[in-house]
């Protein structure tokens, strides 16, 4: 289940990035440092979302993987 939750968190982090979360501001600072650390913020937020139930992707992945273990 941990692997499935990790996959869901990575998926959500990419979705948050696409949505613009953590995008550097043109008027306040910005730069390479802010851009690099914003990925850590997105990942932490995605992991928190998964721990609160996420979007159900982890459970679906877990069930699908569990079916293939017996084969």
């Amino acid at each position: 289940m941990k692997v499935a939750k990790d996959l869901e968190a990575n998926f959500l982090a990419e979705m948050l990035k696409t949505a613009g979360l953590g995008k550097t501001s043109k008027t306040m600072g910005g730069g390479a440092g802010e851009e690099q650390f914003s990925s850590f913020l997105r990942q932490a937020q995605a992991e928190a979302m998964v721990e609160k139930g996420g979007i159900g992707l982890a459970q679906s992945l877990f069930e699908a993987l569990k079916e293939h273990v017996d084969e």
Side-chain angles (χ1 to χ4, degrees), residues 12-25 38 41-42 45:
L12 288 173
E14 286 300 313
M15 293 298 101
L16 292 172
K17 180 180 179 181
T18 301
L21 183 70
K23 197 173 190 178
T24 57
S25 172
S38 66
L41 174 62
R42 281 191 302 270
Q45 288 174 322

Side-chain angles (χ1 to χ4, degrees), residues 39-71:
S39 68
F40 293 122
L41 174 62
R42 281 191 302 270
Q43 187 65 34
Q45 288 174 322
E47 289 170 4
M49 290 169 68
V50 170
E51 288 307 311
K52 295 289 184 183
I55 58 173
L57 184 59
Q59 188 64 40
S60 296
L61 288 169
F62 180 73
E63 295 299 325
L65 290 171
K66 193 167 66 170
E67 289 177 11
H68 292 291
V69 171
D70 295 335
E71 293 178 357

